């Protein structure tokens, strides 16, 4: 949650240059939707998905903790799996 304000600043700074995809591993749909609404995570350049904690995405990208910050190219290739947090 603390990183969301930093993330929103990044989104404004790189608007129309980068698409940010937020993937929640939260099993609780209502809680996820409340966070998306509370932090206005539905603007241009932000895509939100909620998958469960046992998802293939978590396994594929070897996510051990959240939030995790991963860079993927337009072609879907993994560029960096261990990006720094937006606050760094």
């Amino acid at each position: 949650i603390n990183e969301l304000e930093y993330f929103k600043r990044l989104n404004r700074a790189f608007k129309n240059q980068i698409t940010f995809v937020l993937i929640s591993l939260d099993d609780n749909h209502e809680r996820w939707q409340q966070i998306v609404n509370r932090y206005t995570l539905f603007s241009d350049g932000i895509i939100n998905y909620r998958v469960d904690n046992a998802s293939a995405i978590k396994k594929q990208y070897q996510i051990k903790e959240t939030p995790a910050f991963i860079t993927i190219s337009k072609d879907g290739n993994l560029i960096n799996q261990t990006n720094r947090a937006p606050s760094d």
Side-chain angles (χ1 to χ4, degrees):
I1 299 290
N2 295 333
E3 294 295 330
L4 290 177
E5 288 303 320
Y6 292 104
F7 162 75
K8 287 171 61 175
R9 288 184 205 157
L10 278 178
N11 184 53
R12 285 190 297 271
F14 293 102
K15 192 171 187 168
N16 300 324
Q17 298 174 38
I18 296 175
T19 300
F20 291 94
V21 179
L22 305 177
I23 300 173
S24 173
L25 301 177
D26 196 337
D27 292 325
N28 184 321
H29 177 79
E30 290 77 23
R31 183 172 49 205
W32 168 76
Q33 191 63 57
Q34 288 174 349
I35 290 172
V36 168
N37 291 333
R38 182 182 311 147
Y39 293 97
T40 320
L41 300 175
F42 46 79
S43 63
D44 289 341
I46 302 175
I47 300 171
N48 280 286
Y49 293 105
R50 185 191 62 80
V51 297
D52 64 33
N53 198 30
S55 75
I57 291 172
K58 182 178 178 182
K59 293 174 187 169
Q60 179 179 353
Y61 293 108
Q62 301 171 8
I63 298 171
K64 294 176 179 46
E65 62 182 27
T66 58
F69 303 94
I70 301 168
T71 306
I72 301 171
S73 72
K74 289 181 181 181
D75 301 327
N77 297 314
L78 182 66
I79 295 174
N80 188 339
Q81 193 162 347
T82 56
N83 285 327
R84 297 181 318 189
S87 60
D88 291 339

